[in-house]
Amino acid sequence: KPWNQSTNSERIDPYNGLLLSPTLDKLFDRGYISFTDDGNLIISPLLEERDLQKLGVAKSMKLYKIERNCLPYLKFHREVVFVNQT
């Protein structure tokens, strides 16, 4: 959950964060990618295949492990931050 939309307790919650490469982190922060509760990558339709190739993003990418306490934050990201419109 973005810092500016989080409560003080959410800001320091270790489950409100993901360890991503710089490229994936920027795409995630800007809402161009997100993740399912199973860790599968969701890609905004605003990103074209050539963009993904240039950025080194593969559709098969997946989070290795997701703790249960991370799920509400991922849900918030998918519903509020993720750009799912063209």
Side-chain angles (χ1 to χ4, degrees):
K1 190 171 182 181
W3 182 270
N4 65 353
Q5 297 178 28
S6 297
T7 64
N8 287 336
S9 63
E10 289 171 332
R11 289 177 180 156
I12 61 171
D13 185 349
Y15 295 102
N16 185 16
L18 297 171
L19 182 59
L20 301 171
S21 71
T23 300
L24 292 177
D25 184 60
K26 184 66 83 177
L27 291 170
F28 185 81
D29 284 350
R30 294 192 178 181
Y32 290 108
I33 64 167
S34 195
F35 297 93
T36 66
D37 287 348
D38 294 332
N40 294 310
L41 182 65
I42 306 170
I43 301 170
S44 170
L46 298 177
L47 286 177
E48 297 181 9
E49 187 65 38
R50 71 172 190 257
D51 298 324
L52 297 174
Q53 290 175 354
K54 287 179 184 178
L55 295 168
V57 176
K59 293 178 181 180
S60 61
M61 289 180 164
K62 183 176 179 171
L63 295 175
Y64 174 70
K65 182 178 180 182
I66 302 173
E67 298 290 336
R68 175 194 270 151
N69 294 340
C70 290
L71 296 178
Y73 296 116
L74 282 176
K75 181 178 184 211
F76 180 91
H77 187 270
R78 287 191 305 266
E79 293 176 355
V80 177
V81 179
F82 182 63
V83 181
N84 196 19
Q85 299 183 26
T86 56

